[in-house]
Amino acid sequence: MLVVTCPGCSLLCEDIELVLKTGAISQAKNLCRKGYGHFQSMFTERTEPTIDGQKVSMDEAIVSAAEILKGAKRPLLYGWSNSTLEAQKVGIELARKLNATIDDTSSFCQGILMERVLKGRVPTCALDDVRNFADTSVFWGADPSNSHPRILSRFAYYPRGEKRQKSYEEERTCIAVDVRRSATAKLCPNYYFRVPPGGDAEFIGALMAVLEGKIPKFGDKKRMIELGTVLRKTEYGVIFPGLGLIYSLQEKMGLLEALVARLNEIATFKVVPMVGHYNMRGFNQLLLDETGFINRVAFSDGKATHGPENSVIEASKSCDAALVIGSDPLSALPFKTAQRLAKVPLIAIDPRRSLTTDAAKVVIPSAMYGLEAGGSAIRMDGVKIEFEAMMESDLMSDEQILARIKEAI
Ligand code: SF4
């Protein structure tokens, strides 16, 4: 039996017990279905070192990657949210050495909120505080039953905590604000509040009006007043914003800040962004410490500049080579961006096959974190989690591969 840390999402559950047989997981404890899919993929979807689709040695793949990056005038280094802090650190050093643009997945998802959290503009807390103290959890534009399947059982709703011994039966309320009745909304049927697509700014305005004792001019007035009443009775509330809220608010993120500030005049309210990839927050924190920016950075003579032109979507228009690590932009990003990336010499470092590895000029297989390689990462709530390799592997970690590429350059 192996006790492993699961990097299937940013909860980084450390209590996973696995028994592995040749070609499959034969027993698992505490593993959700998402984590099961993550670990099971190590038996079915592994990459091999290739150049132009032809199998080569690891050394040849690494040398080829180094040559492509060295010869590029505007290289783009992208991905990072599924790598350890140690690998990310080497990646930032590599970007500096190459005068490259570096960006991660937060650039088009939670970055706009994460920046506010990391800079202390939005109050946040650890998930252990949620378990011990929170009586109200608001999942807004998020469906954790699918994205972070164990957050309700480990922290937000079902467990007993220091001040919440009666838990969900009497002491915890779980609220879902969403455009549809998601799997999570079905778990808290009395506290599902529907928001029309793109209507979150107006929803916040109506909620603010209710908190001021006014009649809301938006949505179902009775339901808005019910929501205001629950929030007013809260002692320790936590808002978990998901991508639905982020995409809806975008440049109006200040409205969420204002709502949280208003709620904190009534009781304690915190915000924990529902980060998807297991170490996106780690990359944002590291880059912030190194450069003062959480993403979208271009280096020139060792100096960092930041701007929308350095986002993966914009940088893909001018880059002449790209290194993608632990990410599948050809599946996840807009079609035109994917098309552009597929046209430049693409280097993919990944333990698993994806559309991006299939299209890459050079593929470098890496060890799977949590099982074959160890390291550290920052959980969605800012807590550092360390984990070790639990089984022997001939594969190198992302950190080792990047260090070899850097050395070869
Ligand atoms: S909740 Fe996330 S970290 Fe925990 S077992 Fe599931 S996928 Fe893995």
Side-chain angles (χ1 to χ4, degrees):
M1 173 86 69
L2 303 171
V3 180
V4 304
T5 298
C6 174
C9 78
S10 60
L11 279 187
L12 284 164
C13 296
E14 296 169 275
D15 57 351
I16 310 301
E17 297 178 16
L18 286 182
V19 177
L20 302 177
K21 264 193 190 164
T22 318
I25 296 171
S26 73
Q27 279 181 47
K29 197 174 161 196
N30 298 329
L31 189 64
C32 73
R33 65 190 185 287
K34 186 171 180 179
Y36 178 86
H38 172 81
F39 285 118
Q40 185 61 28
S41 68
M42 77 177 269
F43 299 111
T44 51
E45 299 285 332
R46 298 308 288 261
T47 44
E48 292 185 318
T50 56
I51 299 175
D52 292 325
Q54 300 301 310
K55 194 160 181 239
V56 295
S57 69
M58 275 296 277
D59 286 347
E60 287 170 315
I62 286 171
V63 168
S64 176
E67 277 170 4
I68 289 169
L69 291 173
K70 203 169 149 184
K73 287 196 175 71
R74 289 179 300 279
L76 166 67
L77 312 186
Y78 174 75
W80 307 110
S81 303
N82 283 318
S83 295
T84 58
L85 290 169
E86 294 75 17
Q88 292 168 350
K89 190 165 187 311
V90 183
I92 295 169
E93 288 165 9
L94 183 63
R96 203 183 279 277
K97 184 169 185 172
L98 288 165
N99 281 325
T101 299
I102 186 165
D103 195 23
D104 82 315
T105 50
S106 73
S107 186
F108 54 90
C109 63
Q110 291 273 5
I112 195 165
L113 177 59
M114 183 54 75
E115 184 172 10
R116 287 169 159 83
V117 169
L118 294 180
K119 292 185 172 173
R121 285 169 57 185
V122 173
T124 190
C125 66
L127 288 171
D128 298 292
D129 295 334
V130 178
R131 187 182 52 235
N132 284 327
F133 308 118
D135 53 344
T136 301
S137 293
V138 184
F139 291 96
W140 196 326
D143 182 16
S145 293
N146 284 303
S147 62
H148 301 67
R150 294 184 69 207
I151 196 168
L152 296 174
S153 59
R154 288 187 64 204
F155 301 106
Y157 194 36
Y158 298 114
R160 310 202 185 280
E162 201 178 306
K163 278 195 76 181
R164 300 295 160 212
Q165 287 298 313
K166 293 180 190 155
S167 186
Y168 72 103
E169 295 102 331
E170 291 182 37
E171 282 188 317
R172 289 195 204 270
T173 301
C174 187
I175 295 170
V177 181
D178 213 327
V179 295
R180 69 198 164 93
R181 198 176 283 277
S182 64
T184 306
K186 286 176 189 156
L187 291 175
C188 38
N190 297 333
Y191 297 103
Y192 164 56
F193 296 88
R194 190 180 172 277
V195 58
D200 296 79
E202 289 79 6
F203 192 93
I204 290 175
L207 191 51
M208 289 286 259
V210 169
L211 295 173
E212 298 305 327
K214 298 177 188 160
I215 301 294
K217 293 198 177 111
F218 177 84
D220 181 332
K221 295 178 181 53
K222 201 171 150 219
R223 291 289 285 152
M224 293 305 298
I225 291 168
E226 274 177 45
L227 177 56
T229 306
V230 176
L231 296 178
R232 275 184 178 286
K233 285 185 182 163
T234 293
E235 286 177 14
Y236 192 118
V238 184
I239 298 175
F240 294 92
L243 285 184
L245 179 59
I246 304 292
Y247 287 149
S248 174
L249 286 184
Q250 284 295 316
E251 302 312 320
K252 294 181 189 159
M253 198 56 67
L255 293 175
L256 180 64
E257 262 184 81
L259 174 64
V260 174
R262 177 69 187 94
L263 288 169
N264 272 284
E265 290 170 11
I266 301 166
T268 299
F269 271 87
K270 308 286 186 183
V271 175
V272 179
M274 293 292 282
V275 171
H277 301 299
Y278 83 88
N279 201 22
M280 186 200 93
R281 183 164 176 160
F283 179 79
N284 295 150
Q285 184 68 64
L286 261 185
L287 198 64
L288 182 68
D289 294 345
E290 290 274 332
T291 66
F293 310 107
I294 67 157
N295 55 24
R296 301 181 175 183
V297 161
F299 287 102
S300 176
D301 295 328
K303 280 180 66 181
T305 54
H306 173 262
E309 68 280 7
N310 301 328
S311 75
V312 60
I313 290 173
E314 289 304 313
S316 69
K317 293 176 185 168
S318 57
C319 73
D320 55 354
L323 179 146
V324 173
I325 184 160
S327 185
D328 186 13
L330 265 57
S331 293
L333 294 183
F335 180 65
K336 285 231 160 6
T337 306
Q339 253 186 341
R340 286 193 290 264
L341 286 174
K343 280 186 188 150
V344 298
L346 190 59
I347 302 151
I349 302 174
D350 209 306
R352 281 179 294 219
R353 259 190 80 192
S354 66
L355 198 56
T356 301
T357 63
D358 284 356
K361 181 172 180 62
V362 179
V363 177
I364 307 177
S366 56
M368 189 174 271
Y369 283 113
L371 267 184
E372 299 165 334
S376 55
I378 306 289
R379 203 168 65 179
M380 63 188 284
D381 58 342
V383 171
K384 188 173 182 182
I385 305 286
E386 301 195 358
F387 46 93
E388 290 175 13
M390 300 307 294
M391 56 190 284
E392 298 221 335
S393 169
D394 296 334
L395 291 163
M396 287 189 268
S397 66
D398 290 354
E399 180 193 2
Q400 290 167 324
I401 293 166
L402 291 165
R404 286 275 309 275
I405 293 175
K406 188 167 154 243
E407 196 182 289
I409 291 168

